[in-house]
Amino acid sequence: MVRLKEKIGYALGDAAAGGITWKIMSIAFPLFFTNVYGLTFADAAALMLVARMFDVVTDPLMGALADRTQSRFGTYRPWLIFGAIPFGLIFALLLYTPDFGPVGKRIWAYSFYLLMMAIYTAVNVPYGSLLGVMTDDDNEKNQFSSFRMVGAYAMGFVTLLSFPYLQKFVGGTSQHQYAVLGVFFGFIAAVGTLTCGLLTKERLKPVRAEKFSFKQFGDLFRNKPWIYLTLIGICTNFFNGFRYAVAGYLFEYCLKGDVTVSGFIINYTVFMTFGELTCMVFGGISPIFTKWVGSKKKAFTVAAIICAVTSVAFFFVPMHSSYIWLMVGIVILTSIGVGLYSPLLWSMYADVADYATEKNGTSSTGLIFSSGTMAQKFGTAISGSLVALFLGLAGASMITDSTGNSIVDPTSITDSVLSMIWSLFSLFPAAIVVIMLLLTYKYPINK
């Protein structure tokens, strides 16, 4: 019987990665790079596209490397233990704006964004793979996965809710605020990652393929459940990626800035916090819901339908701050679906890993879970890149201010740009869910 302490320890791993670093990178980075750091829309889009091509190579290689790691700490845990400090440090440096010219700032942004993606891979791929070696009990896997999601969403709730108040507390320029908060959140992320590595246990020994071989990659692409689940994972992250990446612009331009209700500040991070809290609650309910529905596949389908319907509904809300609570209500309803399907996705990756071991005779747990991390980064960053691209196509443009920094030209924010922002938060994600439902229907494992 796995102790509660270990489940909490496992939850801290995604609280650090998903609840802090990835949450800030998903929701704050598009607006940070264009409105604070000073990159153009084209530069920001290119930055995230280049990083994704980088991840296509590094994520599966990291999975293969993790599968072959042998140490006194186990196979996957040493990557968390020794990667924790670099993880927090590089995140802090990424949120720092150097006093360089345009070329120097581009080099800094590209270098540290790529480093952040590399260290995120080195920590998060082994973290996900831990689920395959901590227990062979399917119910306990669901519980670990549920704890993981609750940890991520609980910390995401705290991070996003506190962000505007911490900015106000730090004071100074926006660049100074982000730099200080980068150090603060980077430190917490490092501690959470280290604690996860120390509290978890690897009870199962993977059946190793000790020699590296490209055959395992060939086996992967012959694994039908893996293909469908990876595409589903990319869709889930496109869905979240569009919404998080455009939320800052939605408040900045569609709602004309932060909305204050009875002294309570609702900005783009607080707005999405309502969803984080809902995801935390329904992520905990997900195993119960899955048992009630009868299978992971059916539960995932129901949750996705909720996301599609509520996303379309948001499009018809009037674009005015007086409707803020209606918008919050729809975000909460959407997050019920997200909260229900998020733990299922990682539990389904464990099923695919078991299927691959049974079929091929050797473990490829790390390689298979690396595709989950790759899908997360690919979907989130490509959607963030597309947001910048679509806003540019809709007419948004940059100008140079008196200090030589690139800023958004306020005269370029026309009705077409506002409509694009609104659609990117509602109709675009809904279309992604339709694709996700078709893929789920074809997914062949019915556990």
Side-chain angles (χ1 to χ4, degrees), residues 42-65:
D43 281 334
L47 169 62
M48 288 182 265
L49 279 171
V50 168
R52 294 298 58 77
M53 297 307 102
F54 180 69
D55 285 335
V56 168
V57 177
T58 58
D59 280 40
L61 288 178
M62 183 64 230
L65 178 60

Side-chain angles (χ1 to χ4, degrees), residues 132-417:
V133 296
M134 289 191 296
T135 178
D136 59 357
D137 183 271
D138 196 54
N139 185 50
E140 286 187 336
K141 285 180 183 178
N142 286 342
Q143 290 179 32
F144 268 117
S145 189
S146 181
F147 266 80
R148 171 183 183 166
M149 290 297 103
V150 170
Y153 287 124
M155 184 56 76
F157 170 77
V158 173
T159 299
L160 298 182
L161 181 63
S162 65
F163 205 88
Y165 296 97
L166 289 173
Q167 283 183 290
K168 193 173 181 180
F169 175 77
V170 171
T173 65
S174 295
Q175 292 179 345
H176 174 69
Q177 292 168 7
Y178 274 89
V180 172
L181 292 183
V183 173
F184 175 71
F185 283 114
F187 174 77
I188 297 175
V191 171
T193 302
L194 178 61
T195 305
C196 174
L198 295 174
L199 288 183
T200 50
K201 295 180 181 179
E202 298 186 23
R203 294 175 177 81
L204 308 178
K205 297 291 183 183
V207 182
R208 302 178 188 277
E210 299 296 350
K211 292 182 179 180
F212 180 83
S213 170
F214 283 102
K215 179 180 179 298
Q216 61 190 319
F217 293 97
D219 290 339
L220 200 60
F221 283 95
R222 287 188 289 271
N223 185 330
K224 189 175 178 181
W226 174 82
I227 293 171
Y228 280 110
L229 191 59
T230 298
L231 293 173
I232 291 167
I234 290 173
C235 286
T236 63
N237 286 287
F238 263 114
F239 176 79
N240 287 327
F242 275 120
R243 296 169 68 246
Y244 280 103
V246 82
Y249 297 111
L250 187 146
F251 268 78
E252 184 79 12
Y253 302 118
C254 296
L255 302 183
K256 314 302 180 187
D258 299 350
V259 180
T260 303
V261 182
S262 301
F264 179 62
I265 301 173
I266 304 178
N267 77 339
Y268 68 102
T269 62
V270 175
F271 182 65
M272 300 306 287
T273 295
F274 290 100
E276 294 298 302
L277 182 61
T278 306
C279 286
M280 179 183 70
V281 172
F282 282 86
I285 293 173
S286 183
I288 301 171
F289 176 73
T290 302
K291 280 187 177 180
W292 178 68
V293 172
S295 74
K296 297 174 189 177
K297 183 174 177 177
K298 289 180 182 177
F300 196 98
T301 300
V302 173
I305 291 171
I306 293 171
C307 292
V309 172
T310 54
S311 294
V312 172
F314 190 94
F315 178 76
F316 295 98
V317 177
M319 196 185 298
H320 194 276
S321 60
S322 60
Y323 292 88
I324 187 65
W325 289 117
L326 178 57
M327 297 176 205
V328 167
I330 294 177
V331 164
I332 289 172
L333 291 174
T334 304
S335 299
I336 291 174
V338 176
L340 289 173
Y341 75 55
S342 293
L344 291 172
L345 188 67
W346 294 103
S347 183
M348 289 158 77
Y349 270 115
D351 295 338
V352 171
D354 291 342
Y355 170 87
T357 300
E358 186 177 317
K359 182 179 179 182
N360 301 319
T362 57
S363 174
S364 55
T365 301
L367 184 59
I368 286 171
F369 272 92
S370 74
S371 61
T373 305
M374 183 181 69
Q376 179 186 35
K377 291 191 288 186
F378 186 86
T380 303
I382 293 294
S383 57
S385 177
L386 288 174
V387 164
L389 179 64
F390 285 139
L391 291 182
L393 291 174
S397 60
M398 310 292 288
I399 57 174
T400 303
D401 65 11
S402 57
T403 63
N405 290 318
S406 295
I407 61 172
V408 177
D409 181 1
T411 63
S412 71
I413 306 302
T414 61
D415 288 344
S416 64
V417 174

